[in-house]
Amino acid sequence: MNGPEIHVEFAPDLALFVQRGPHRTLVTDGVSSLGHVVESAGVPLTEVGTLWVDGRKVPHSYVPVAGDTVEVRPVDRPQQVPGAPLRFLLDVHLGTLARRLRLLGVDTAYESTDIGDPALAARSAAEQRVMLSRDRGLLRRRELWAGAYVYSTRPEDQLRDVLDRFRPELRPWTRCTACNGLLKEATKEEVADQLQGGTHRSYDVFAQCRDCGRAYWKGAHHEQLVAIVTRALEEFAS
């Protein structure tokens, strides 16, 4: 490629995506948009907030010229997603994060099998869901409604990052962690077929998913779940 040279500075938050350091001299083809140039350098546009050229804000469609000095900034937090009510779609690798978001009452769709990038992107667009993934190729698909890269491999950090970035409304204990359906109060008789002897004798308060019928009660792991909910509410409840 023998086109105009531009100087690009990537924000520290984007260093993960950029090889050879945050300050780069790039040779462009003279016709591609700045958004395309930035993405070709390794940064998904889902992670780019604003682009600045010689001190002025420009759109992703701007075509850089020789000598431009470009500043690539990360998305603002909390990030505003226009349009549909805020809801998410997670790929097959983020099952624990999906369950924790559902525990907090956040509308979270999740594919437990690998249905492929085209199908995930199509579902994101059809249902207007923010695609959460660590797959950079998936996040580059143009048909996505919206997307965000999940930076950590640790569920605790993943949850905190998503809550910090998007600040969804939290309504703990209202969604099924298995299927994302809404919960309702249930009597012991209504869920009796799901209870073993000890559970049937020891518990009297139940909830049940309106969609899949799964029963919930304050079992052995309830304290761990309460801790997750408490931390999230203390830090991110609006």
Side-chain angles (χ1 to χ4, degrees):
M1 186 183 296
N2 295 310
E5 283 192 356
I6 62 174
H7 305 282
V8 184
E9 179 179 351
F10 295 93
D13 290 351
L14 303 176
L16 168 69
F17 305 104
V18 183
Q19 298 178 355
R20 295 180 294 168
H23 302 275
R24 301 280 299 278
T25 296
L26 298 177
V27 180
T28 70
D29 59 11
V31 294
S32 294
S33 69
L34 184 54
H36 176 79
V37 172
V38 168
E39 197 166 53
S40 297
V43 182
L45 290 183
T46 59
E47 306 313 296
V48 175
T50 55
L51 298 171
W52 295 75
V53 173
D54 296 326
R56 71 183 191 281
K57 184 178 177 180
V58 300
H60 291 186
S61 59
Y62 171 82
V63 178
V65 299
D68 277 351
T69 297
V70 178
E71 181 184 357
V72 183
R73 298 182 182 178
V75 292
D76 292 331
R77 295 189 177 217
Q79 181 178 349
Q80 301 299 314
V81 180
L86 184 60
R87 48 194 177 186
F88 299 99
L89 170 63
L90 279 62
D91 68 19
V92 66
H93 303 292
L94 298 175
T96 300
L97 175 59
R99 290 188 292 273
R100 293 187 180 191
L101 285 169
R102 290 169 175 176
L103 174 66
L104 295 172
V106 179
D107 189 341
T108 305
Y110 164 67
E111 291 292 349
S112 59
T113 58
D114 189 356
I115 63 173
D117 290 0
L120 284 169
R123 183 174 182 185
S124 167
E127 300 180 11
Q128 297 186 342
R129 292 181 178 274
V130 179
M131 183 78 239
L132 301 182
S133 178
R134 287 178 52 80
D135 182 343
R136 302 179 196 184
L138 171 57
L139 295 176
R140 292 179 65 172
R141 299 193 70 91
R142 293 292 179 260
E143 61 268 41
L144 284 178
W145 165 253
Y149 184 75
V150 177
Y151 286 80
S152 177
T153 58
R154 299 179 68 251
E156 295 82 3
D157 296 334
Q158 292 174 346
L159 180 63
R160 189 180 186 284
D161 185 47
V162 171
L163 297 182
D164 177 67
R165 177 166 174 170
F166 292 100
R167 297 297 175 114
E169 180 183 3
L170 303 184
R171 300 180 62 207
W173 318 109
T174 61
R175 287 191 179 271
C176 175
T177 57
C179 81
N180 196 45
L182 293 174
L183 301 182
K184 64 175 183 177
E185 292 183 1
T187 64
K188 183 180 294 188
E189 290 70 26
E190 288 175 312
V191 298
D193 60 333
Q194 300 182 52
L195 307 180
Q196 297 181 351
T199 303
H200 194 281
R201 291 190 300 271
S202 303
Y203 298 95
D204 296 303
V205 178
F206 299 91
Q208 187 174 31
C209 177
R210 297 177 183 271
D211 291 345
C212 74
R214 179 172 176 171
Y216 288 87
W217 59 92
K218 296 179 180 180
H221 301 293
H222 185 68
E223 289 186 4
Q224 298 175 25
L225 301 180
V226 168
I228 293 171
V229 169
T230 300
R231 285 195 298 270
L233 291 178
E234 287 177 349
E235 191 164 2
F236 299 107
S238 55

